[in-house]
Amino acid sequence: MVQSVKPISSPVPDAWYPTLAFLMLAVGLIVTASFFIYEATSSRKNRSLAKELTTGAVASVFLGFGSLFLLLSSGVYV
């Protein structure tokens, strides 16, 4: 009994790669800018470590996935 094997396919259509790359990179850059503005305008006594870590993690996730979709949309399959 041989089972037919399905090829691996992306859960996201290929046509969405450029749009996802643009949107995720844009959101990541906006969150990064808000992080820098927060760091530059708040004093050391008023800063919150939780807010810094949360903002940094959100920016990192969006920039990481945005970079992934940018590479996929340009034909570099990683």
Side-chain angles (χ1 to χ4, degrees), residues 35 38-39 42 44 47-57:
F35 177 78
Y38 175 75
E39 290 294 320
S42 63
R44 288 188 184 265
R47 290 185 187 162
S48 168
L49 180 62
K51 182 172 180 168
E52 290 178 8
L53 290 175
T54 303
T55 307

Side-chain angles (χ1 to χ4, degrees), residues 2 15 19 25 30 32 47 49 60 69-71 73-75:
V2 178
T19 305
L25 287 172
I30 290 169
T32 302
R47 290 185 187 162
L49 180 62
S60 177
F69 282 114
L70 182 65
L71 287 170
S73 67
S74 64

